[in-house]
Amino acid sequence: MTGCSSGIGRVAARLLIERGHRVIGGVCEEGSPAGVEERSLDLGDLESVRDFAAGLREIKIDALLLNAGVQGYDLRARTRQEIERTFGVNHLGHYLLARLLVPQVANGGALVFTTSATHDPAEKIGVPTPRHARAEWLAYPERDPEVDRGPMKAGLRAYTASKLCNVMTARRLAREPDVIARGLRVHAFDPGLVAGTGLVRTGPFVLRRVVWPMLSVMKPVLRGSNGVAEAGRALADLGEGSAGVGDEVYCSLRGGQVVEMAPSVMAQDDAAGERLWRESAVIAQLESDEAR
Ligand SMILES: NC(=O)c1ccc[n+]([C@@H]2O[C@H](COP(=O)([O-])OP(=O)(O)OC[C@H]3O[C@@H](n4cnc5c(N)ncnc54)[C@H](OP(=O)(O)O)[C@@H]3O)[C@@H](O)[C@H]2O)c1
């Protein structure tokens, strides 16, 4: 599991431990719930992702929960390999991890990517929505001819685009012959708005100290809002296969229930998904013998 030290993932990890599962968490810094076996993982460093995956080589995985995420506010922030950080951590690190580890996921097991409904313009959430899912332009925004000039807008759009990439990657992975043959469950999970987590930790003061806590208090009256306990439980249930959903890849936590949904129109563009899949492999320098 990634992202088990804070927020939604922290709740999910604690529940999975309580339910008797062994949880291995890939973390940048220690701080996961008691019982989680922590191993070093920086999703913003492709070598760290490879080392983490190599350390799991002997292990059969029942569920791979790819939950870590960052929301950036400035496209100048880069990963170890000089890739835009939001795209690098939220999409590329997880893409590489999924491709390296999918052969070890047990038959009938699960891969769950935590995405966000903010990737879908039809949800009218009020954040800048993705213009495209071109890996090269997202990894190196200076090459994108239409990149936003304002850092805040650009950062938020990079976030929603990375979440679009999560959905497209999950959909593409679900079509892999080996994934189908072995009955793996693949989901892109939208937890809704979950105020109060660490997601806005690098955001402007007003967002961190005023808006985010206020949204937390307003949860009962906010459309699409969920508590961290409900979101964490839903993630744990999806991993376990007890969420009560079928084969639809995209699902969303609505009114306390995980429901299957159609993702955004862009996310359903399988040709664009295929292109993202291939371009991501090139940027992550994924060799054919690595992705067994
Ligand atoms: N909160 C919401 O409203 C909301 C809505 C939709 C989707 N989501 C998604 O839900 C997921 C969890 O977010 P959250 O709200 O629970 O936020 P959070 O409390 O900030 O948790 C994020 C987790 O990601 C980890 N992480 C960040 N950068 C990492 C890196 N480079 N390598 C490895 N781990 C890293 C963090 O670890 P450290 O603490 O060690 O940095 C932390 O455990 C994210 O994918 C987010 O996009 C959240």
Side-chain angles (χ1 to χ4, degrees), residues 2-10 26-32 41-45 48-49 66-71 85 88-90 94 113-118 159 162-163 166 189-201 212 224 226 228 235:
T2 70
C4 57
S5 59
S6 171
I8 299 166
R10 188 179 177 82
V27 297
C28 283
E29 284 170 35
E30 291 176 9
S32 305
L41 170 67
D42 177 2
L43 287 158
D45 178 356
S48 169
V49 173
L66 304 171
N67 169 73
V70 290
Q71 186 161 293
R85 183 164 169 266
V89 170
N90 295 2
H94 281 137
F113 295 78
T114 304
T115 181
S116 167
T118 57
Y159 176 78
S162 74
K163 294 289 143 183
N166 288 152
F189 164 58
D190 158 46
L193 171 66
V194 188
T197 69
L199 192 63
V200 302
R201 66 181 87 175
W212 205 230
N226 294 298
V228 68
L235 178 59

Side-chain angles (χ1 to χ4, degrees), residues 147-183:
V147 69
D148 297 290
R149 299 288 161 222
M152 180 87 171
K153 195 172 185 184
L156 290 172
R157 203 185 304 278
Y159 176 78
T160 61
S162 74
K163 294 289 143 183
L164 169 65
C165 293
N166 288 152
V167 184
M168 287 175 138
T169 300
R171 283 173 55 86
R172 174 60 184 77
L173 189 63
R175 292 200 303 275
E176 282 284 284
D178 172 59
V179 167
I180 296 168
R182 298 198 295 116

Side-chain angles (χ1 to χ4, degrees), residues 253-266:
L253 184 61
R254 306 272 157 134
Q257 291 292 317
V258 183
V259 291
E260 296 175 82
M261 295 190 51
S264 67
V265 173
M266 281 175 89

Side-chain angles (χ1 to χ4, degrees), residues 35-272:
V36 173
E37 292 175 36
E38 293 187 327
R39 302 199 183 181
S40 174
L41 170 67
D42 177 2
L43 287 158
D45 178 356
L46 297 167
E47 287 316 308
S48 169
V49 173
R50 284 186 165 85
D51 289 346
F52 176 73
L56 298 176
R57 192 143 286 165
E58 306 305 324
I59 292 174
K60 213 54 182 160
I61 300 165
D62 294 318
L64 188 58
L65 303 184
L66 304 171
N67 169 73
V70 290
Q71 186 161 293
Y73 304 89
D74 185 345
L75 297 185
R76 286 173 303 183
R78 298 292 157 121
T79 68
R80 185 86 193 272
Q81 286 77 27
E82 295 297 322
I83 290 158
E84 193 284 314
R85 183 164 169 266
T86 310
F87 175 82
V89 170
N90 295 2
H91 166 66
L92 200 64
H94 281 137
Y95 165 87
L96 179 60
L97 197 52
R99 296 224 42 200
L100 294 174
L101 289 179
V102 72
Q104 281 162 248
V105 177
N107 293 354
L111 288 104
V112 184
F113 295 78
T114 304
T115 181
S116 167
T118 57
H119 87 281
D120 187 355
E123 295 277 359
K124 299 191 177 5
I125 290 172
V127 288
T129 49
R131 289 206 184 95
H132 58 75
R134 292 279 306 271
E136 189 199 344
W137 290 351
L138 293 171
Y140 310 107
E142 56 282 1
R143 299 184 192 171
D144 182 347
E146 293 193 347
V147 69
D148 297 290
R149 299 288 161 222
M152 180 87 171
K153 195 172 185 184
L156 290 172
R157 203 185 304 278
Y159 176 78
T160 61
S162 74
K163 294 289 143 183
L164 169 65
C165 293
N166 288 152
V167 184
M168 287 175 138
T169 300
R171 283 173 55 86
R172 174 60 184 77
L173 189 63
R175 292 200 303 275
E176 282 284 284
D178 172 59
V179 167
I180 296 168
R182 298 198 295 116
L184 305 190
R185 294 173 283 117
V186 185
H187 295 292
F189 164 58
D190 158 46
L193 171 66
V194 188
T197 69
L199 192 63
V200 302
R201 66 181 87 175
T202 62
F205 179 85
V206 175
L207 178 60
R208 276 185 288 124
R209 292 297 176 85
V210 182
V211 178
W212 205 230
M214 209 169 72
L215 289 175
S216 218
V217 175
M218 289 165 64
K219 181 177 87 76
V221 294
L222 276 181
R223 180 179 67 94
S225 179
N226 294 298
V228 68
E230 297 160 288
R233 190 182 320 112
L235 178 59
D237 290 350
L238 280 166
E240 259 190 335
S242 59
V245 289
D247 292 339
E248 187 64 58
V249 170
Y250 184 57
C251 53
S252 179
L253 184 61
R254 306 272 157 134
Q257 291 292 317
V258 183
V259 291
E260 296 175 82
M261 295 190 51
S264 67
V265 173
M266 281 175 89
Q268 294 181 56
D269 181 343
D270 289 341

Side-chain angles (χ1 to χ4, degrees), residues 133-135 270-280:
R134 292 279 306 271
D270 289 341
E274 188 64 37
R275 180 174 192 168
L276 173 70
W277 181 265
R278 293 189 187 287
E279 287 187 359
S280 297

